[in-house]
Amino acid sequence: MTMHFLLLFSRQGKLRLQKWFLPLPERERKKIVKDMTTMVLSRKPRTCNFLHWKDLKIVYKRYASLYFCCALENKDNELLALEILHRYVELLDKYFGSVCELDIIFNFEKAYFILDEFLMGGEIQETSKQSIAKSVEASDMLQETMEEYMSKPAF
Amino acid sequence: MSDVVEKTLTALPGLFDSQTGAAKITNRLRQLIKSITELTSKHEEENLIKQELSAMKEQVSSPNTTMKQMREIMVRAMYCEMLGYDASFTYIHAIKLAQQGGLLEKRVGYLAVSLFLNEGHELLLLLVNTVLKDLQSTNLIEACMALTVVAQVFPKDMIPAVLPLVEDKLSHPKEIIRRKAVLALYKFYLIAPNQVQHIHAKFRKALCDKDPGVMTSSLHIYLQLIRESPDSYKDMTGSFVTILKQVVGGKLPLDFNYHSVPAPWLQIQLLRILSLLGKEDQSTSELMYEVLDESLRRAEMNHNITYAILYECVKAVYTIHPKAELLEKAARCIGNFVLSPKINLKYLGLKALTYVVQHDAKLALQHQMTIIECLDHSDFTIKRETLELLFRITNAQNVTVIVEKMLDFLRICNDEHTIIHLVGKVAELAEKFAPDNSWFIQTMNDVFSIGGDLLQQDVPNNFLRLLAEGSESKEEDDQLRLYAVDSYLTVLKGHTSHLPQCFLQVMSWVLGEYAHLQESVDQREVIRLLTQLLDQRSVSSETRVWILSALTKISEGQTDLILDLAESLSSSQDTVLRQQAQELRHLSQDSQLHEWALPRGAPWDGIEVDSSLSFLDGFVSEALAAGAAPYKPPHQRQEELCEDRALNLEPYGFSLPVSLSSCSITDRQSPTLLSVSSGLSGNSTELSQKAGSSTLILEGVKRVWGKDGYLPQKEATAPPVDEPSAAVQPPSQQEAAERIEPRPDPSTQNQDKQQLASSLFVGLGVGSSMSLLGKSEAPPLRFRKKPRPHESSSSSSGTSERSSDSSSRSSRNTTDSFLYSSLLEEEPAASISAFDHTPKSTTANGLAQNKDTKEDRRANTSQILGGDMVIVRPSTIQDKHPPSVSSDLTALLPADLKDLPHSDVISLTSDPSLSLSSCRLFRDEALLLVIFISNCTETVIKDVAVQLTCEELKTVSLRGSVGSVHSLSLGHCPQQTSSVRPLVVTTEEYGKLWLSLSHDVKQNLKLLTDAGDPLRTTLNALKDALQLHVVDIIGSEGIVACRLLSGAPCLLHCRVNGTALAMWLRSPHPALPDCILYHCQRALAHH
């Protein structure tokens, strides 16, 4: 399961989050984002969640007003990718508490931090909701205390 | 912009207040996002961002900006970049933030780096030290961040810097660090497998880690490793099976459950690994049947994730060695998928089916109806997947239906990639299974009009080739062509403006070649239709060239129409067209010339394009001898031009018309293009080479070497440039052509030729040269190095030559006791006795070398099998005293070897009791070394052990009851020349073969001038010394052929050049020409 990229975009086609697991030039990235939004947004209801795109498979799913969309290689398991997207949503949900698009718009860096704990180099790193939440929160907490610590004049 | 974020935004402030501390938003970012959402146009957004960016720029360069502020700026920069604006001025600050900030800043800094900087961005170098520091940090979070960034953005060349530290982390007490380290190493493995080779053992440790998370991560690496070489990991099958059993059995902590399915990602990873291991391996497969069965059984819950597991199970079951029971279950599973009302499952079912029908086509039959339903499904993805499945099960019976379905799909499809992909498949199916001509032509018409100019070039090429080459039956071919002509005439009568260029080109070529087959149609009509095309704006200039060439071919007898056309084109802007129009006029006025240049209905293989221009070789070397500058290929000239502009004008001052030089350039540079066109017919070459005039050069000039071989009849009479071509060629061009031709420098030209030859003959060489070529593809690599006098025997020792099988390689450098032989008793006064020979078949490296050896002791024959050693008892009893060696010994040779050509018997060595001589025999496929052992004493030798030290076969040691061990050196070792055999070919075969060979060497050798005919004398001398075959001698040129045993051929082309012999060698084997050349030199020097 090698994910090539993961994109989050709104129903209006606004990019909310982008993660590229393989190096691509800026121009290419922009083109892909454009392709993905047009392709995915033009899908009719009651169609399957998979698309052919070049020699890759696109797996997408809509959660409320946000589309989650990732690219896999042809040999990979599409259903499994769908569940990866789902688990990511669950993680966001757990962190933000019934997540909505706005949470992600305004806290996109947190969404990245969670993603970094979940996927690494395009592969699943940790599937347990518990431990991901723990490690993200741990760094959040630590940051808070460090911040206090740092603000002390002695340092 | 107002439509961007929904109305909920009005409730924003309230939302923010309810956020927890962790989700606090910095004020500026909140402002930015808010104001962006309030904007109404893209233009306003741009302005706002511009302002924002310049404000940020100011801030980052201000010395008073704190790290905390910097962090906030960085988040805003990420936001701007996500919107698609360039904030690259912040990149360096992101690195600084990661470097200098506290934890909170560092985290944002690293995130920004991983988002901003691609692998390979130069700024990344500045990050190395920071990462190194953080990797060594005792702070867990710092180490985690460093590992994450390493896995995300580190390029190949920066890996060595951090590798040791990452490696250390594999034994870190915290599992999260170990897990991240394993994944980082996995990423490294993907980028640069060589760099992590040494830690494979540590991967194994990670696999056994007590933390399941670390173990899971290590499976990514194992999947990759096993995919590359499954055989090296077969021993781990048991472990993987055990792990899977435990996982399926729910032995993992509940934490790993996903919707109450135990560790699905882990399961799937293991299933993939198992299927790779069990592929085509029964015993390994047997280990996993049980757990696969269990997996299939357990995954019953109605949830996507269980289906995902089932899908992997099914794939595994069909990949490994089959077991009926499992297959049955898997088939049922697929059935459930395909029949499921859930569209995602249906899709996966089709995908599984596509995979499975390769093993079991019957399964598709069971689901016929479902498949047909899916074909008409409203979802494009489902349809396309179904077509993929159909493609796999296409045969001669169902091809029409399936192709029709595919074309239907294509007509409504607008995705380029899909079109290219599917159209190629349609063409493939049509060619493979076409039921009749009209269907085929019609289908190809659809392919061309749908695929259009997106089509990969090989589709039209293959099609034209098929038409041109035809099958065995000329009648059928003509029928097919006729269909094509009819069909195209119909197409051209309709609207043509929308037709793709590629289709127009195909049509014009076919009409040009075959329109005359259709007698019921007036050729004038064809000309009219084609001429019409020329007037269309949408027709590209390349297509115009195709059309004009077609017109040229069918112009015969229609002078009036053609002259009009030529007239109208003669003022064209396009020089190529003008030139073609000129040719057209000439040809239409001279029917004899037309007949000669464009023979109608000539078989495509009868017209030969000597694209290597080898007929000019003589000319070139003469010119070179006269001091002409060697030819430089265009790119080299270009380089030189760039280097020194002053160089440019001098040597090429009177350069040629562009069209001509460009035609020779295309000729050299695009072998593929040529291979196609020359495969079609000689005439069509001019089509693909836009310059058009190349026909003149290729056709008009005498051809000495063609694909069909040497063409001696022409050589004798034809002047370099024939009359007809002179008539057509404008004088200036003719001169130019002559001027350019001497240029090619042999060596560069050769390279191009090699390319050409290899591409030209890749699929063509079905003729007599095939057997040679076939073998030459994988020649035994005996002559790797260029031989030096001292080593002449080392790389091709006698043994290696003798045994053409694998044992030859391994026998080197090992001291093998080939045999033990005990002397038969009571052999009266035998100088050489027969041996009761017990093959000691286990040699040092465990290869049974003598297994084939059998000996018939009664008869004086031997069976020499597989290049092994055989011991023969001579029938005659020799005189007892020190053998006068030489000639009479050859009489002792076994009967079946007597007739072989052999070398003189050479006395190798002797001592008072034994004497040793040897003789080489040349067999086609092997060199036989016969060793004679003679007893020089009166006493009967009781026991002789012969030990051949095979390393270079220089010594033979003898041990016998007579004395102690005698180590005798085989002074004369077999030379490489011993493995050269004459290659008997005809001149034609030689010519064919010559063109197909790629490696060549040229050198001038000494010419033996003492006799009347120097060439013949020299060649004969070489023939005697090296066992070459002199194929033919014509005038001052001679061709000679030989081969390496029954392997790679080597062709020699010799030409008398003053007092030297210009020798040109070619062989498929890279080192053979050098080697042969060396021995030729030696042979002539010794003469």
Side-chain angles (χ1 to χ4, degrees), chain A residues 1-2 8 10-12 14-26 29-30 39 43-44 46-57 61 65 73-84 86-87 90 95-96 100-110 112-114 116-131 135-140 142-144 146-147 150, chain B residues 1 3-6 8-9 12 15-16 19 21-25 29-30 33-34 42 45 68 71 75 78-79 81-84 101-105 107-108 111 114-115 118-119 139 141 147-148 151-152 176 179-180 183-184 186-187 213 217 220 223 227 255-259 264-265 268-269 272 303-305 307-309 311-312 315 343-345 347-348 351 377-382 384-385 415 417:
Chain A
M1 173 72 68
T2 312
L8 268 66
S10 70
R11 233 166 45 186
Q12 289 79 18
K14 278 282 156 188
L15 192 61
R16 296 299 176 214
L17 187 137
Q18 52 175 341
K19 189 79 188 176
W20 306 89
F21 296 108
L22 295 177
L24 283 172
E26 188 61 34
R29 290 181 176 191
K30 282 190 176 157
M39 274 174 71
R43 292 281 285 173
K44 293 191 186 78
R46 301 181 50 72
T47 50
C48 68
N49 296 63
F50 317 125
L51 280 172
H52 295 263
W53 181 75
K54 301 212 167 154
D55 43 3
L56 295 180
K57 280 284 166 60
K61 188 155 187 192
S65 57
E73 275 157 32
N74 209 4
K75 61 178 193 302
D76 284 325
N77 188 328
E78 289 91 342
L79 273 187
L80 194 65
L82 215 48
E83 293 312 298
I84 290 179
H86 189 70
R87 170 60 28 133
E90 286 179 353
Y95 184 81
F96 290 107
C100 70
E101 188 186 345
L102 288 173
D103 291 323
I104 295 170
I105 298 177
F106 288 100
N107 299 286
F108 65 89
E109 82 273 22
K110 304 281 193 241
Y112 278 120
F113 291 143
I114 296 171
D116 280 346
E117 289 302 315
F118 177 47
L119 298 175
M120 196 163 160
E123 297 282 354
I124 289 280
Q125 180 193 168
E126 172 64 87
T127 53
S128 156
K129 256 201 275 195
Q130 219 68 36
S131 40
S135 60
V136 173
E137 264 156 33
S139 6
D140 281 351
L142 241 170
Q143 279 174 8
E144 300 296 323
M146 277 303 275
E147 213 167 354
M150 296 270 287
Chain B
M1 205 53 213
D3 57 330
V4 169
V5 172
E6 297 170 311
T8 41
L9 268 179
L12 264 182
L15 235 162
F16 296 144
Q19 295 291 325
K24 256 192 285 176
I25 312 161
L29 179 67
R30 190 203 297 191
I33 296 174
K34 242 177 103 179
K42 182 85 184 162
E45 183 190 296
K68 204 173 157 188
R71 182 183 91 206
V75 177
M78 283 189 251
Y79 190 76
E81 285 251 322
M82 187 155 65
L83 289 178
L103 263 183
L104 193 55
E105 286 80 32
R107 196 187 188 197
V108 173
L111 177 64
S114 71
L115 289 175
N118 246 325
E119 273 176 39
N139 186 323
I141 294 181
L147 282 171
T148 307
Q152 266 169 3
I176 185 171
R179 204 175 57 214
K180 282 181 191 280
L183 278 171
Y186 165 69
K187 190 74 194 301
S217 307
H220 295 310
L223 182 62
R227 190 170 284 147
D255 219 20
F256 286 89
N257 280 12
Y258 176 81
H259 294 262
W265 282 277
I268 284 174
Q269 204 74 353
R272 285 187 181 151
H303 190 277
N304 267 349
I305 198 74
Y307 294 128
I309 297 175
Y311 171 75
E312 291 297 331
K315 264 179 87 170
I343 192 156
N344 284 344
L345 287 191
Y347 168 86
L348 215 63
K351 200 177 161 184
H377 202 282
S378 58
D379 189 346
F380 246 60
T381 313
I382 298 279
R384 184 171 164 192
E385 204 60 35
D415 175 50
H417 205 268

Side-chain angles (χ1 to χ4, degrees), chain B residues 240 294 376 455 495 552 614 661 693 713 766 1013 1028 1062:
Chain B
F240 291 127
E294 175 132 357
D376 294 327
L455 268 184
H495 282 288
T552 315
S614 56
S661 54
S693 62
Q713 73 282 8
V766 202
D1013 184 349
L1028 308 173

Side-chain angles (χ1 to χ4, degrees), chain B residues 407 437-447 449 487 491:
Chain B
L407 289 173
N437 289 338
S438 59
W439 182 87
F440 178 62
I441 296 295
Q442 193 50 49
T443 306
M444 288 314 283
N445 284 357
D446 289 336
V447 164
S449 44
S487 149
V491 172

Side-chain angles (χ1 to χ4, degrees), chain B residues 949-963:
Chain B
T949 312
C950 286
E951 182 190 6
E952 306 183 6
L953 205 68
K954 275 182 179 151
T955 56
V956 169
S957 52
L958 289 177
R959 200 175 56 214
S961 60
V962 198

